[in-house]
Amino acid sequence: MSEHSIPRRQWRAIVNACLPLTDDGQGLWTIVLDGDRIAAVVPQTAMVRPDDAVVWDAQGHPVLPGSLMPTCTTQHGLEKLRLDLSQVRSLRELLQVVQNTASLVSRPSSRFLIGYDWDESLFGDEKRYPTRWDLDKVAPDVPVALRRIDGHLWVVNTKAMQAMNLPTDHPFVFKTDGQPNGLLADDAIRFLKPFIEPTLSEKREALRIASQIALEHGVTIVADLYADLEVYESAVADNDLTVRFVCCVPPATAQHLKAPLRWRIDRERCEAKFVKLFLDGSIGAHTAALREPYADMPNETGRLLLRDRTAEGLMLEFNDMGWRLAVHAIGDLAIDQAIEAFRFVRMEGKRFLRHRLEHLELLRPEHLGWLRQLQLVASMQPNFVARWQMPQGLYEHRLGWERAKGMNPFGSVVRAGIPLAFGSDGMPFGPLYGIVGALAHPEPNERLTLPQALLAYTQGAAFACGIESQVGTIAPGKLADFVVLSHLPDERNFADEWQSVKIVATFVGGKAEFLRDE
């Protein structure tokens, strides 16, 4: 047995690693590290270890490339600093939580009580949105603002509406019998933002929390789709990033910067390279733009958030400035608009960068050819399937089963040769739950295999973020970002066993940023 060729200086290695995504997936491997990169990946039997080697023994556990989250945000960390409503399972319970919290607030108060992530589809009593009148009963003297899980809908009480001086004729200020009911969607949320904006110190703490959550889920790169660059500048200056970030910025920020921005510290950890554009809202908020009305609201088809010419102009401007676009389009009408706008950019632009479409839930067969022709990346969320697309779920209620069952057509995307990237959008965080949705899609032809789902969270997500030359696979020359799992259930048993899978370790740049104590 001869020693594999490696640098002569002291080296480090991960030994006894099972690599499920290698060509054969059999046997154990050694991953040789050189600084923050992978120097070599060789069969365990071919490696002779020098006496001074520093090794970490994977003990035969599966080792995968670190997951990327191309649709996630540090907002997930901020949610942990405020009122967490994600586990609430009834309207009555939600109102009780608000009442209990409001009772602790000194009166009078102008400080908003802010809560995150209620989901009426999980309510066991009344599956409806809360209203300002509901909140007024339990917190009449404290301004309250509660965000729905998707971020496209907030509910506020009367006290908050008075503080906001909310225009009642705005199309996204919803009404009941002609009166504002406290529900604000999409564009109307801007009137609320000044009252809920966190301080820089809160944002830094939220970034720290979000980073830790990512590491605990085996995520090594987070695509922050609502990035506040001041927070990252502060974190980079303090050398305080434990995971990597690819940032999406709002249009106004991109216009100010003129070109994508990269910060460098010991190694590349943060880059602002995408602009996020919203073309519609969400299915849950009834604001995704549809060709046909919602089944549970026959007079509603949602709304496009940008006029066609406006969308085309913005996308052309940013493409020519060197920004890649991450375009939010959930409904089929919004996907129509996105494709037409990208066709315009392709014809009129100085160049055509690698752009991506976010969500694409109501993707139709006729869209597939255009996505392939325009070389767009499909950035999708299989956790939405597991959470809302199964029989009797939210999507069936909103759209009827015939439309709902065909949403999120992952298999069709793969067969069409369209690059597929998976993320979670933080609903919930982490890839394991999402893999369940990819494997158990209600339409058998749209299900993926386990390797296909894993590749979408790793190679596919790296490609979507434009960093596939650096991460996404365990290969020589790549950054040493990987995750060690306790085990990897087979495809047939994954849905039943995924919750037993533990993250043993998460490595970023060859450093174990997370190690499970036991």
Side-chain angles (χ1 to χ4, degrees), residues 157-202:
N157 66 352
T158 301
K159 185 79 171 178
M161 289 180 60
Q162 292 169 346
M164 295 162 58
N165 195 22
L166 192 67
T168 58
D169 59 346
H170 193 286
F172 286 100
V173 175
F174 294 162
K175 298 179 176 65
T176 300
D177 297 328
Q179 295 295 315
N181 57 20
L183 292 164
L184 318 175
D186 295 310
D187 185 61
I189 297 170
R190 61 189 170 92
F191 298 103
L192 175 62
K193 284 186 176 179
F195 299 92
I196 61 175
E197 183 70 12
T199 64
L200 178 59
S201 62
E202 286 177 317

Side-chain angles (χ1 to χ4, degrees), residues 370-432:
W370 283 113
L371 264 64
R372 183 177 60 248
Q373 184 174 330
L374 292 167
Q375 298 179 316
L376 299 173
V377 177
S379 177
M380 305 177 79
Q381 289 69 48
N383 48 301
F384 292 2
V385 176
R387 181 162 185 160
W388 293 305
Q389 198 177 335
M390 295 303 176
Q392 306 302 314
L394 173 69
Y395 289 168
E396 180 178 358
H397 183 64
R398 289 285 188 271
L399 303 174
W401 184 239
E402 284 306 308
R403 272 194 292 177
K405 68 180 181 180
M407 292 173 63
N408 299 294
F410 308 133
S412 294
V413 169
V414 171
R415 288 189 294 272
I418 298 164
L420 175 64
F422 278 166
S424 75
D425 223 17
M427 294 184 259
F429 201 96
L432 292 173

Side-chain angles (χ1 to χ4, degrees), residues 77-78 81 200-211 231:
L78 187 61
L81 297 176
L200 178 59
S201 62
E202 286 177 317
K203 293 175 183 176
R204 281 293 305 273
E205 178 63 8
L207 181 63
R208 186 196 65 78
I209 293 172
S211 298
V231 181

